[in-house]
Structures are given as C-alpha cells and as structure tokens.
Amino acid sequence: MPPLLEITGLCTEFHQKSGVLKAVRGVDLALEPGETLALVGESGCGKSITAASVMRLVPPPGRIVAGSIRFKGEELLELSEERMRDIRGNRIAMVFQDPMTSLNPVFTIGYQVAEGLRIHRALDRAAAEREAVAILSEVGIPAPGERMKDYPHQLSGGMRQRVMIAMALACRPELVIADEPTTALDVTIQAQILELLDRLMSENSMGLVLITHNLGIVAERAHRTAIMYAGEIVESAPTAELFAHPLHPYTRGLLASLPESGRPGEKLATFAGSVPDLRGELSGCPFFERCPIGDERCKGEKAGMTEAAPGHLVRCLKWR
C-alpha cells in the first residue's frame, strides 16, 4: 500500500530579474495515514513553498521544475487543474499562515466555511450552514451561530485563525498541511486545536504535515520530524530519536537554542552568519559558512542523504 503522501526530488524555483531562486532543492518526504510529520527550519528555508507545491499553489513567478508528488499513489503534478480543485479542500486541505490574506473580506465567515461543504459534499444551503456552525464550535469559537454573520475584519487574529482551521477541517480531509496553525492563538486555544487535530487523525486516519517553529509542539505531537535548511532536508528521523540523538550540526544548534528551565541567566546558543543566497548553484554544503565543524571538504563536496540508523537520515559529511 503506498504512503498517504510521497514527495521525491521536488524542486521549485522562482525566475526573477536578479536570477533563478532555487527555493526547494530536491526534497524527499513521506507520510503515512494517521501520522504527523513536522517540518522544521528557520524562516526562508522553503517550508511554506514545499507545502504550496503539494497543493499546486506556488505563487508566480514560482514553478515546480522537477520531482514527484504522489497522494495515495496518484501523481498530483500530472492532474488537470479541474481535478486538483476536486482534491484541494476536500481530500487535501491547508491551513495557511496568514488568515487575513487567506479569508475573503467581502464574504461572511459562515459563507466561507459552508462553501466547501456545498461544493465538495453537495449539501444544500441549510445543511451546509448547520455543519459550519458545528465545526466553528469544534475549533473553540464562542457563539458560532452569531459569528457566522460576521466578516473577517470583525474578528481578532486568533479568531480568524480558528476560522481558517475550521475551513480546512470541514470536509474531514485525508491530509492536512498546517503552516504555523497555532501561532496567533493563546496557549489554551493552541491545546484545543491540537487535540482536535489529534482526534480527527485517530477517527479518520488523517495525515498531518505540521510546519512550525515551536519545538515543544514538535516533541509532543509529531511522529517524525524533518529539518529543513536552504531548501533541502538536512535530517529526518522519528521525533524521539531526533531529539535524543541529533546528528546534523544545524539540528544540534536548533535544539541547543531552546531555553532550559532551571538555568536562569544562561546565554542561548546562536548561529553566526546567515543563510546562503539560493540564486545559482551551491558547490558544497549550504550550511558550511555557519557550521562549527565544517572543513574544506564540506565547502566543495555536496553530501547526499545517509541512513545513520534505521529511519534516521542525515545530509552531512561529518555527522559521525
């Protein structure tokens, strides 16, 4: 049986006047039904563009130039746009990072949540609105019947984010891609949303790709974690294994930067330098300039993925 989602050799580029920006460079990922895969890395590393590529929603002038994206064995990059519209929001849903730019300001909340139910589940208006009220309640929106009449600008940032999550979950998709889904929410609502996602995963064998900077959420929720840097996956492993035995210097640095309780006043670890310019070719390791253990070999030789332990992959010449 094929994985729920299988990405192989994905390359997504942006053709600009200043050159070709290679935002995603040969990404391989796989996700099983009922599994949570966390995608972690600093801003600009390609996480959101990877997600947009799966949805075939890469903004212009970006385009997918190579690779394969298979959903339950079906190649998404070969489907017609009409077929992709059937899949988006129905079988694969995405929670976008910025709800204010994703919600339509001229339609009510109720109309926008119910729209997917009418299109994909062929519900009449009354039934779709009843379902919409129920899902708004599930994501923790108070007085959901009243909020159905509101417009996006009338809600707080956290409320808008919950509406986006409600829209994504309305059709009970098989795969959800959540790009920083709880960033604008307080801790209590974060927990409610994550518990709701957990319940839907167990009820429907739903798969979840969780894009986040919050390593606490990753440690608690993700079955597997992939670390991304400069458009590449540099390490992936079962989450407990990754946190216990990080192998790539970038992963080690990320984990070392976490504040530890009981150690007040201690300085956090930081990375010197900055992410390399992704326009043009990188001859060696993209992390070389910031790496505490890199040498001349790393500067000129590109590492492939090595299986350091069962299920634990690392892209580094000096991981030992």
Side-chain angles (χ1 to χ4, degrees):
M1 187 174 178
L4 180 64
L5 178 69
E6 187 174 22
I7 303 173
T8 308
L10 177 65
C11 297
T12 302
E13 298 177 350
F14 288 78
H15 291 248
Q16 304 167 325
K17 290 181 180 179
S18 57
V20 178
L21 190 151
K22 300 184 177 182
V24 177
R25 304 183 303 128
V27 161
D28 297 335
L29 290 170
L31 177 72
E32 298 294 335
E35 184 179 42
T36 297
L37 170 68
L39 192 56
V40 178
E42 60 195 278
S43 297
C45 72
K47 305 184 303 295
S48 295
I49 297 301
T50 299
S53 299
V54 174
M55 301 294 288
R56 279 182 41 187
L57 292 174
V58 178
R63 58 193 178 96
I64 299 168
V65 297
S68 169
I69 303 172
R70 291 184 173 274
F71 174 64
K72 300 186 78 171
E74 185 174 24
E75 179 57 67
L76 297 183
L77 299 184
E78 295 176 355
L79 299 182
S80 67
E81 181 55 32
E82 182 180 7
R83 173 70 177 135
M84 272 305 299
R85 282 197 297 268
D86 289 338
I87 290 175
R88 285 192 209 108
N90 183 24
R91 300 178 64 198
I92 304 176
M94 185 162 176
V95 181
F96 293 93
Q97 193 167 3
D98 184 359
M100 199 55 193
T101 59
S102 303
L103 292 169
N104 193 319
V106 302
F107 290 111
T108 64
I109 295 304
Y111 179 89
Q112 294 184 66
V113 177
E115 183 181 25
L117 294 163
R118 292 196 303 269
I119 292 171
H120 295 301
R121 290 173 55 184
L123 298 182
D124 62 32
R125 180 177 174 179
E129 288 182 353
R130 286 195 298 272
E131 286 284 329
V133 170
I135 191 68
L136 288 173
S137 178
E138 277 191 290
V139 298
I141 290 183
E146 291 300 311
R147 298 289 75 75
M148 290 274 287
K149 305 169 190 173
D150 288 344
Y151 290 86
H153 74 272
Q154 295 175 282
L155 303 182
S156 67
M159 293 273 273
R160 287 193 292 266
Q161 186 67 14
R162 279 178 267 177
V163 170
M164 286 295 301
I165 293 167
M167 290 170 64
L169 300 179
C171 292
R172 297 301 192 252
E174 296 161 81
L175 170 64
V176 170
I177 302 171
D179 191 354
E180 298 283 355
T182 60
T183 298
L185 307 180
D186 62 47
V187 174
T188 303
I189 299 300
Q190 276 189 30
Q192 289 178 8
I193 295 300
L194 292 169
E195 286 167 10
L196 173 62
L197 289 170
D198 284 348
R199 179 165 62 78
L200 291 174
M201 288 176 67
S202 63
E203 289 175 358
N204 307 317
S205 294
M206 183 182 84
L208 175 65
V209 178
L210 180 63
I211 299 172
T212 183
H213 292 96
N214 191 325
L215 291 172
I217 289 176
V218 171
E220 290 178 6
R221 305 281 175 174
H223 299 94
R224 290 185 58 82
T225 299
I227 305 296
M228 199 166 186
Y229 183 80
E232 298 179 338
I233 302 298
V234 296
E235 186 167 4
S236 68
T239 300
E241 164 72 12
L242 187 91
F243 275 69
H245 305 290
L247 300 178
H248 196 281
Y250 180 64
T251 309
R252 293 175 188 168
L254 283 181
L255 296 178
S257 69
L258 290 173
E260 294 188 33
S261 59
R263 302 174 71 174
E266 184 172 356
K267 291 183 69 174
L268 298 178
T270 59
F271 290 117
S274 58
V275 178
D277 189 344
L278 297 182
R279 287 167 293 193
E281 294 297 327
L282 297 175
S283 59
C285 174
F287 190 59
F288 167 73
E289 297 290 346
R290 309 173 78 184
C291 183
I293 61 171
D295 59 20
E296 286 302 307
R297 183 186 173 204
C298 303
K299 185 176 182 180
E301 184 178 341
K302 188 155 183 67
M305 273 292 200
T306 300
E307 188 168 30
H312 194 155
L313 305 175
V314 60
R315 189 187 301 275
C316 181
L317 297 173
K318 301 187 69 177
W319 64 268
R320 287 182 175 84

